[in-house]
């Protein structure tokens, strides 16, 4: 199958993304960020990834590194990176609940960055379903402190990027 012909389903994707948006994950609430990392980790494992949880530091939440099986695992590869911390405090959903009107949707973190992360994961799932292999090994790194400049994850980000 040509990757341009993958059967993305916007409604199904938005339903899956809703779960992520409704998992509030403000930067300075490590347990909340870790709940979001739990959700993403489960979906990554179901998609075929091997997960490594990297313990948070400096009071921030954990990070998740996911690697997907590849025919040539020990060569430099592709790094998809995103963050799950948001600027929205817990209880933002009371005033700004997830909602959809036609082709638009709203909710805390839906664009930055949960929507992008979900779309990346869905692309990985679609490629796997279509038996389309990436030319290089694929690693996904989700971090927990981007909204404040990545003080606790910079070294992890740099190490992964160097690979």
């Amino acid at each position: 199958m040509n990757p341009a012909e993958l059967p993305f389903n916007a409604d199904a994707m938005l339903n899956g993304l809703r779960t992520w948006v409704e998992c509030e994950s403000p930067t300075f609430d490590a347990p909340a960020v870790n709940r979001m990392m739990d959700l993403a980790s489960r979906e990554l494992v179901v998609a075929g990834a091997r997960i490594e949880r990297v313990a948070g530091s400096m009071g921030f939440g954990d990070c998740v590194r996911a690697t997907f099986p590849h025919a040539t695992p020990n060569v430099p590869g592709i790094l998809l990176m995103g963050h799950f911390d948001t600027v929205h405090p817990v209880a933002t959903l009371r005033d700004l609940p997830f909602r959809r009107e036609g082709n638009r949707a709203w909710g805390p973190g839906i664009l930055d960055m949960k929507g992008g992360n979900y779309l990346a994961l869905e692309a990985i799932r679609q490629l796997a379903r279509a038996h389309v292999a990436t030319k290089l090994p694929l690693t996904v790194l989700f971090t927990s402190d981007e909204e404040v400049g990545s003080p606790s994850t910079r070294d992890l980000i740099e190490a992964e990027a160097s690979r």
Side-chain angles (χ1 to χ4, degrees), residues 26-31 33-34 54-63 85 143-153:
T27 304
F28 294 108
D29 187 336
V33 173
N34 287 346
V54 181
S57 65
M58 299 171 58
F60 295 105
D62 297 346
C63 296
D85 63 310
T143 62
S144 58
D145 64 349
E146 187 275 343
E147 295 293 355
V148 294
S150 305
S152 74
T153 58

Side-chain angles (χ1 to χ4, degrees), residues 62-132:
D62 297 346
C63 296
V64 170
R65 178 189 299 120
T67 54
F68 288 85
H70 197 271
T72 54
N74 296 319
V75 299
I78 301 164
L79 175 62
L80 293 175
M81 199 180 100
H83 65 91
F84 277 123
D85 63 310
T86 72
V87 299
H88 305 283
V90 169
T92 296
L93 284 167
R94 285 191 303 236
D95 298 322
L96 182 64
F98 177 92
R99 77 179 206 280
R100 178 180 181 182
E101 294 175 14
N103 290 330
R104 298 180 127 198
W106 292 264
I110 196 165
L111 181 62
D112 180 22
M113 168 111 212
K114 292 179 180 182
N117 293 342
Y118 195 88
L119 183 59
L121 176 57
E122 184 59 22
I124 293 166
R125 287 190 280 235
Q126 289 291 339
L127 289 171
R129 285 183 198 123
H131 305 288
V132 175

